Amino acid sequence: MGNVEVYIEKYKELEEAVRSTYHLADEDSISYYLTKQDKYRNDRDEIKYCQEIRNLLQHKKKVNNTDLVEPTGEAIAYITSLIARVKNRKKCCDICVNYKNIFRKSYGDKVKDTMRVMHEKAYTCVPIMEGKRVVGAFDANALFEYLAVEGKVEIDEDLTFNDIREYLSIDTRETEEFLFFGSRKLVDDLEDEFEKSFRRGKRIAAVFLTPYGTRNEDIRGMVTAWDVLGKGND
C-alpha cells in the first residue's frame, strides 16, 4: 500500500477517533471541531492542511490513473500522532493531588496554624474532612466572611474550624463553588465544568475527586484550576 492509501486510511481512523471521543455526528467536520478547541490551538494550521490533503487525494480525479501528489512520511506520522493524542486523553486522576498528599484539616484543628502553612506553601484551599469525606473548605473567602460577619480584626490562636463551621460550607458561597467529580472522568470534561461555572459568574475553587463524583464517597484526590491549566493541556 502506497502513501496515498495509507494517508487516507489514517485520516479515516482520525475521523473515527474524533467522532467517538467527542460524540460528533457523521456529518460534522472533525477539522472544524478540532481547530475550535483550545487544546489543539497550536495545531490549527496543520489540522487544516491535513484536511486539504485528504480532500485533494479523495475527491480530485487522477491523471492517467495516477496520483500526482503523494503525502510524505512526515504527514502520515503527524496524523498518527494526532490520533494518539485524541485517544489518549488525560483523566482527572492523572493530574490531581492524590489523597495522601492533600493538605487537609478536621474541625478540631486550629485555624491560625493552618493559615501559617497555607502561607508558606501557597495553598489556596484546604478541605475540612471527617474521615475521608469532605465536609467543608477553608480559603480566603471563608476567612473574610467570618471576619466581616463577626466583626473581628484578628484571629485567636485557639480558634478552631469547629468555631467557624458555618463559614466553611461548600454549598453557600456567593462567588465560588466546589465540585465533586468522578476520578476517572476526562480532564476535557472537567474543563467544560470550569467554563460553565465561569459563565454563571462563579469560579470553581476546588474539585474533589471521588469514584463516582458524589459527595458521600471517600475522596481520591483534589484538583484546582492550576492543575487543569498546568497539566491538562500538555
Side-chain angles (χ1 to χ4, degrees):
M1 187 166 17
N3 278 7
V4 171
E5 291 78 12
V6 171
Y7 186 91
I8 291 175
E9 287 301 313
K10 281 293 181 182
Y11 199 90
K12 287 180 180 178
E13 185 179 348
L14 175 64
E15 287 180 316
E16 292 170 359
V18 173
R19 289 200 168 97
S20 63
T21 298
Y22 295 106
H23 312 294
L24 302 184
D26 289 342
E27 63 272 16
D28 292 334
S29 167
I30 66 160
S31 63
Y32 178 82
Y33 177 83
L34 291 178
T35 55
K36 295 299 181 181
Q37 307 306 307
D38 284 343
K39 63 183 64 62
Y40 299 106
R41 61 183 176 273
N42 294 328
D43 295 86
R44 287 171 181 166
D45 290 341
E46 290 83 352
I47 290 171
K48 290 178 181 178
Y49 191 36
C50 286
Q51 182 196 33
E52 292 171 357
I53 295 174
R54 178 260 191 187
N55 290 343
L56 176 65
L57 297 176
Q58 192 141 7
H59 300 306
K60 295 296 183 179
K61 292 183 178 180
K62 298 182 179 182
V63 177
N64 296 326
N65 205 35
T66 301
D67 290 302
L68 299 185
V69 176
E70 181 174 293
T72 63
E74 288 79 3
I76 294 171
Y78 177 77
I79 291 288
T80 302
S81 69
L82 193 56
I83 293 170
R85 286 174 58 190
V86 170
K87 288 184 174 181
N88 300 323
R89 295 178 303 162
K90 290 184 177 180
K91 296 180 175 63
C92 293
C93 57
D94 296 327
I95 68 166
C96 76
V97 178
N98 291 324
Y99 171 76
K100 65 179 181 180
N101 295 323
I102 294 174
F103 180 63
R104 56 193 185 273
K105 291 295 177 179
S106 63
Y107 281 126
D109 291 318
K110 294 182 178 180
V111 175
K112 208 156 190 180
D113 291 343
T114 302
M115 291 174 59
R116 291 189 182 101
V117 177
M118 292 177 70
H119 177 72
E120 178 185 345
K121 302 291 186 180
Y123 295 144
T124 58
C125 179
V126 176
I128 307 301
M129 312 280 295
E130 285 186 346
K132 290 188 176 181
R133 298 188 179 182
V134 177
V135 293
F138 178 72
D139 61 4
N141 285 340
L143 177 63
F144 180 80
E145 185 74 7
Y146 163 71
L147 294 175
V149 173
E150 301 293 334
K152 302 287 186 179
V153 294
E154 61 178 310
I155 300 171
D156 189 276
E157 288 286 349
D158 294 323
L159 187 75
T160 68
F161 290 111
N162 192 55
D163 297 324
I164 64 170
R165 181 188 290 239
E166 63 183 292
Y167 303 101
L168 305 176
S169 171
I170 55 178
D171 299 311
T172 58
R173 306 291 179 93
E174 290 187 6
T175 60
E176 62 184 359
E177 54 190 348
F178 299 86
L179 182 67
F180 287 86
F181 209 67
S183 59
R184 302 295 296 176
K185 284 191 173 183
L186 298 170
V187 175
D188 288 354
D189 297 328
L190 183 55
E191 288 176 343
D192 291 340
E193 295 298 327
F194 274 88
E195 178 62 28
K196 291 176 186 176
S197 179
F198 178 77
R199 290 199 297 266
R200 291 194 295 268
K202 291 193 173 186
R203 69 176 183 88
I204 294 178
V207 180
F208 304 118
L209 301 182
T210 64
Y212 297 100
T214 61
R215 65 191 307 158
N216 60 346
E217 300 175 282
D218 290 351
I219 188 174
R220 296 282 182 83
M222 177 175 166
V223 176
T224 68
W226 298 112
D227 298 310
V228 174
L229 292 171
K231 303 175 184 177
N233 293 318
D234 288 350

